[in-house]
Amino acid sequence: MAKRPQLTGRAAILAVVVCAIAMSLAYPVREYISLRRSISELRAEKARVEAEKQALLARDQQANDPNWIKKTAKERLHYCGPGEKCFVVMEPGEAERRTTVKQPATTPPWYQTLWESVEAADAGTGRRAVTNRAPQPSTTPSTTPSTKPTTSPTPGPTKKESVGQ
């Protein structure tokens, strides 16, 4: 009796066809699933927007009610109707907090900043003028002679000297 091979030609062709079908269906199925997920997200967003729209419409209808307008004006703006006595209850220490409100730092005018930078350049400090500080008296270089001797840098060789050597 002859031994039968494990994998026949027909079985190999069938395996290749099944793999080809599976491969050709993989991408469309993946796209279908992603589109279904996208559709469900869009439906959820649409429901959220519709709920927000309904809330805004209800608020708009409420704004047309004159009693709601009066109530809101009394609560938020502290309005009083004619003949009513209104009181404002202040918490302890609130007056102190109101008096200790810090004022924002004032910046000097542009021309003062410009002049400070010119003075800094003249003084040779090489720093830029600070814009967020109180005005200070200008600093001028002292007229007293310095004890250090000043030396000028020595120039390097010129072209004539380098060519001739």
Side-chain angles (χ1 to χ4, degrees):
M1 209 170 190
K3 190 176 181 185
R4 265 177 105 187
Q6 292 282 354
L7 185 65
T8 63
R10 291 169 102 183
I13 291 174
L14 180 63
V16 168
V17 169
V18 168
C19 286
I21 290 173
M23 294 296 281
S24 66
L25 290 178
Y27 181 75
V29 168
R30 189 176 73 205
E31 286 296 313
Y32 174 77
I33 292 170
S34 70
L35 288 175
R36 296 302 298 174
R37 185 182 316 121
S38 174
I39 288 170
S40 66
E41 289 172 359
L42 289 173
R43 283 184 179 157
E45 183 179 351
K46 179 183 175 186
R48 183 188 55 80
V49 168
E50 284 294 325
E52 185 178 340
K53 176 185 169 187
Q54 292 301 322
L56 289 174
L57 286 174
R59 189 171 158 196
D60 185 44
Q61 290 296 326
Q62 189 179 30
N64 291 332
D65 182 20
N67 291 328
W68 181 83
I69 294 172
K70 288 178 185 177
K71 183 180 105 178
T72 304
K74 286 181 181 181
E75 288 175 359
R76 294 173 67 191
L77 303 174
H78 305 291
Y79 280 180
C80 293
E84 292 180 350
K85 289 185 180 180
C86 295
F87 300 97
V88 176
V89 179
M90 296 183 68
E91 295 179 13
E94 188 174 327
E96 296 164 2
R97 282 186 280 169
R98 285 187 180 181
T99 58
T100 59
V101 173
K102 293 182 179 179
Q103 296 294 329
T106 58
T107 58
W110 65 270
Y111 51 84
Q112 183 178 359
T113 306
L114 177 67
W115 186 248
E116 287 175 0
S117 67
V118 168
E119 286 178 339
D122 284 343
T125 58
R127 288 182 283 145
R128 293 174 54 197
V130 179
T131 59
N132 291 333
R133 66 178 173 144
Q136 295 180 351
S138 65
T139 58
T140 57
S142 64
T143 57
T144 59
S146 65
T147 58
K148 293 183 187 178
T150 58
T151 59
S152 62
T154 57
T158 61
K159 270 190 180 175
K160 282 185 188 177
E161 294 171 352
S162 63
V163 171
Q165 294 176 348

